[in-house]
Amino acid sequence: MEVNKRGQWGSNLGFLLASVGSAIGLGNLWAFPYKMGKSGGFAFLAIYLVLVVLVGIVLMLGEFALGRHTGHGAGGAYAALAKKYSFVGWMAVISPFLILAFYCLLGGMVLRYCLGFLMQIFGADGFVGQGSDFFGWLRYDSTSMLLFLAIFLAITMFIVMGGIKGGIERFSKAVMPALAVILVVIIVFVAIQPGAKEGYAFMFKPNAETFSTPKDFFDVLKTASGQMFFSLSVGMGINITFGSYLSKDRSLQRNAVIVPVADTVFALLAGMMILPACAAFGVDYAQGPGLLFASMQKVFLDGMGGMAGNVIGFLFYFLVFIAAITSSIALLEVCTAFIVDKQLDKGKEPKRRAVTAIFVVLIFIIAIPVALDALGSGGAAVKAPYELMGLTPDSEGFAMWNDCWLDFYDMITEGILMPLGALIMSLIMGWALPNLVKNECEESGHKFKGAQYFKFCFRFVVPAVMILVLYTQITSFFG
Ligand code: PFF
């Protein structure tokens, strides 16, 4: 009875597509290619893959098991283990709340680019006369930034209001196959462009010289591990919450392998779409975060040009939009489930729609500075953190975390709350409750495979990597 009031997946496929949809998002399509472009190509890729196997899969299994075992979303799950762990549940809910503030802004910007190319297809000027300088203009246009943020948030809200089976599952099942098809079409189109080859070489040619000093190695390790967290959606409430809607007869271990593998394949495919496109059209791939916006728009508008450029450009941003929405609904679901579970625990009728709407209003409010600081370019409607601190981009103390509100929120979540939450969870699973994962996996009648491997990773590998990440984060914060 209670399970039905909370909601449940209609099928394992639905659960899988929703989980894969949550994992695949801007992290794959926006962050992975640009981080790879900046951090030495193959070297980054190699470390990333090792981290997925040693840390990502392990955390994901732990989170699925915790959710299904307790039958609660992130907030309630830790409290159900023991009162003293309640604060970890809070951390796991604060992260998606903060991430949504910038994720929905980026999603809104993607939507604006998508609309721009659609207008171009119909012969109108989609980029207000700015052509490929549009990124510079958009950042300072408060009306567009707030409007598209609001539209993206509203779409996210309506899907989550629809509930697990009727909202999230139905949407994911409909759009995930489309996502795969569009991606393949664009990859093939890019592959036949002259000059694309160089992009593949950058991705797949071993280049050990990237690690000429230990510092180089640690820098790449830090970037790759942050990326792994964000891209797999581990270290916050998502997989706990999604696992809690899964029935007992499904294999947790199989799902915990399929999701990271699918996510990694998608990240690689995204790289194979974006990096060769840059190579073919002479756009620099070490550009950083603007890669998805400024550089890719240049590829379609100036490089390919004409109708082909407009159509492929539209498809490209539409693909990114779908990927971003299936992630933002997962983020919002964690927040909604947190309160819905509390209402159920108190024996009240859950108010999913009202709870979701209230969260969306709060998220919009905290997203306002993110939308209005021109992503830290200075002199905008709202001052960026470094401006409030009286710094300039050249002064000492200017850093990645204070250069704009987006990076500030990102540092709190990806840099601190997520690794800290993952550290505590792995210690609980490895030392305090060492049989929880195994027992929960075996509930479905499947034998728990690789028990020694998981035990070793929960006890030692994951904590060690998390401590390293937190250490580098804190030193760069005070440095
Ligand atoms: N994994 C998503 C991406 O790669 O874009 C982002 C994300 C979604 C992060 C959900 C965290 C999360 F809980």
Side-chain angles (χ1 to χ4, degrees), residues 410-434:
D410 193 31
M411 185 270 298
I412 297 178
T413 52
E414 190 182 316
I416 297 173
L417 290 177
M418 288 155 77
L420 191 59
L423 171 64
I424 299 170
M425 189 192 81
S426 62
L427 294 175
I428 296 174
M429 300 297 177
W431 300 93
L433 300 166

Side-chain angles (χ1 to χ4, degrees), residues 21-29 96 99 103 227 229-234 236-238 263 323-324 326-328 330-331 334 418:
S22 132
I24 295 172
L26 295 171
N28 307 63
L29 291 156
I99 290 177
Y103 208 83
Q227 173 62 19
F229 261 101
F230 194 80
S231 187
L232 296 185
S233 310
V234 288
M236 75 197 89
I238 305 276
D263 186 73
T326 52
S327 298
S328 64
L331 289 160
V334 178
M418 288 155 77

Side-chain angles (χ1 to χ4, degrees), residues 105 138-142 145-146 367-388 401-408:
L105 177 76
L138 180 64
R139 273 184 284 186
Y140 282 94
D141 188 51
S142 304
M145 294 294 265
L146 289 178
I368 291 175
V370 186
L372 297 187
D373 74 349
L375 302 175
S377 310
V382 167
K383 285 187 165 49
Y386 75 91
E387 292 174 294
L388 291 173
W401 68 268
N402 63 21
D403 65 351
C404 63
W405 284 101
L406 191 158
D407 283 330
F408 177 67

Side-chain angles (χ1 to χ4, degrees), residues 103 150 161 257 330 421:
Y103 208 83
M161 279 181 170
V257 172

